[in-house]
Amino acid sequence: MAGSASRLKDIAKQTGFSVNTVSLALRNSPRIPDETRRQIAEAAAKLNYLPNQVAKSLVMRETRSIGLILTDLTNPVLTAMAQAVELELTNRGYTTLFATSNNKLDLERSLIETFWARRVDGMLIFPCQHGELEHIRDLRARNFPVVLLVGDADAGVDAVCMDERAGAHKAVAHLLDNGHRRIAFLDSASDKGNYEKSEGYTSAMAAVGLSVDPTLIITPEGSDVAGGYLAMETLVQNNTGATALLAATDSLALGALRYCIKSGIKVPDDMAIFGFDNIEFAEHAVISLSSVDYDIESISKMAIERVISLINAKGLLPPPQITQVEPDLMIRESTL
């Protein structure tokens, strides 16, 4: 039988027991004597028998798998999130089916339907456009367990996420407390309809009576280090008078820091720089980077806890629940 899949009737033929007895024994039924179970288990091992998980999932109406859709694997936060989710789901006996939308809404929709067709038990989704969620609301309307990894109170879908508004507000408030008034913002997400960090920036400025100067808002090309470098170059060449900045990601902040070092701009004396997400490289930069912390472990565990509770819910799903974790600030050399 080596090299081909054994079936219950192969084990029955080998042992002389009926197919029904073999099936019960392999499920450890107390109706089958211990010695019979032992003989059947030994025969199953010799024949390399594996249970038909597809058939089992159809009978049990579960696949013990959860789909995870992220936007961009070049983002170190999302890479870490994928690893944390997979480890936690493995510990809970689930398989992770993983995909990335590459920040394309049409691909995100297609991936959701693909996972639906593969009969995953639930989904965790980091949407590429936080304001375009109708297709995900439709998924929940099918009574399907889905949890967002970003979300607002009016999302209409369960979400467990960092409170990005609060994080941006706290970071800008820290810069304001240090005496800065010309604070720039490197905003890589508003062009995708993700305004949370921008709103936090604006609210912190308004709290001290400052309106937002559009010349201080720079939209980088991408969210990576190169984008931050070029955005910082634009900020300086435009003579905005900025003395501090908040970057929407640590990668952007590291790019801005690199430009400052190469251009003789002293950090933090001439330019204070605040990042977002607290990736590993932030702490170990040449000038350690202040950053808004992203508690990946807590958020991933709470999101998994929620989606599993929805999977186990009887009947209609309960009303959506939004859990936003307020982040802490990691204050380092770049803003002291």
Side-chain angles (χ1 to χ4, degrees):
M1 285 291 174
S4 63
S6 300
R7 296 168 295 180
L8 291 176
K9 68 178 184 179
D10 298 320
I11 301 172
K13 182 178 179 181
Q14 177 83 9
T15 59
F17 296 110
S18 69
V19 170
N20 185 55
T21 298
V22 169
S23 177
L24 290 171
L26 292 176
R27 284 183 283 152
N28 291 317
S29 171
R31 293 164 55 187
I32 307 301
D34 290 344
E35 178 58 23
T36 301
R37 275 190 283 164
R38 184 189 65 77
Q39 293 179 38
I40 291 172
E42 288 180 356
K46 289 179 181 178
L47 294 171
N48 295 317
Y49 170 77
L50 292 174
N52 188 331
Q53 294 296 336
V54 174
K56 181 179 178 181
S57 68
L58 292 173
V59 173
M60 302 298 293
R61 295 190 176 182
E62 65 174 16
T63 61
R64 300 294 293 179
S65 64
I66 290 177
L68 172 63
I69 301 175
L70 300 178
T71 54
D72 181 5
L73 270 188
T74 63
N75 184 326
V77 171
L78 297 186
T79 303
M81 176 67 76
Q83 182 182 44
V85 167
E86 183 177 29
L87 289 172
E88 183 65 18
L89 284 176
T90 298
N91 289 339
R92 292 170 178 261
Y94 283 84
T95 298
T96 307
L97 298 185
F98 171 78
T100 177
S101 68
N102 293 310
N103 285 303
K104 296 178 180 178
L105 188 58
D106 287 344
L107 180 54
E108 179 178 286
R109 292 191 180 103
S110 176
L111 291 171
I112 287 172
E113 292 307 315
T114 297
F115 281 164
W116 167 266
R118 288 178 177 269
R119 310 177 75 91
V120 296
D121 297 335
M123 294 187 211
L124 299 169
I125 303 175
F126 199 108
C128 57
Q129 294 189 21
H130 302 181
E132 292 286 341
L133 302 176
E134 197 59 39
H135 57 298
I136 303 178
R137 294 189 191 100
D138 289 344
L139 182 64
R140 195 184 202 279
R142 303 178 205 173
N143 209 44
F144 186 83
V146 56
V147 175
L148 301 178
L149 297 173
V150 293
D152 290 320
D154 59 351
V157 183
D158 289 88
V160 178
C161 55
M162 185 216 288
D163 189 337
E164 294 184 338
R165 284 188 187 86
H169 185 109
K170 290 171 73 171
V172 174
H174 170 78
L175 295 171
L176 290 166
D177 288 344
N178 283 359
H180 298 284
R181 290 299 179 267
R182 299 289 292 172
I183 302 173
F185 180 40
L186 307 189
D187 183 11
S188 63
S190 61
D191 61 332
K192 303 181 182 69
N194 305 339
Y195 296 105
E196 292 88 347
K197 295 172 187 176
S198 177
E199 291 173 354
Y201 166 84
T202 301
S203 68
M205 299 289 279
V208 296
L210 295 175
S211 59
V212 174
D213 181 348
T215 66
L216 292 172
I217 310 298
I218 307 294
T219 302
E221 295 184 7
S223 302
D224 56 7
V225 174
Y229 186 98
L230 294 174
M232 187 70 217
E233 182 178 49
T234 299
L235 186 68
V236 171
Q237 290 179 349
N238 289 348
N239 296 314
T240 60
T243 62
L245 69 85
L246 169 66
T249 69
D250 281 340
S251 294
L252 287 172
L254 290 169
L257 177 62
R258 174 66 174 164
Y259 179 87
C260 289
I261 292 172
K262 287 195 68 175
S263 304
I265 300 172
K266 296 180 180 178
V267 177
D269 297 340
D270 301 328
M271 179 65 65
I273 300 176
F274 217 113
F276 213 105
D277 293 333
N278 193 33
I279 65 175
E280 180 182 5
F281 299 114
E283 182 178 2
H284 300 290
V286 174
I287 298 172
S288 60
L289 187 66
S290 293
S291 186
V292 180
D293 189 39
Y294 195 124
D295 192 347
I296 292 172
E297 183 175 350
S298 294
I299 290 173
S300 61
K301 285 185 177 180
M302 286 190 290
I304 289 168
E305 188 69 40
R306 181 58 178 171
V307 77
I308 291 177
S309 73
L310 295 177
I311 291 169
N312 293 332
K314 305 298 182 183
L316 294 177
L317 294 175
Q321 176 179 300
I322 310 295
T323 301
Q324 289 189 314
V325 178
E326 183 169 332
D328 294 323
L329 300 183
M330 308 302 293
I331 306 301
R332 302 190 179 103
E333 297 170 329
S334 67
T335 63
L336 292 179

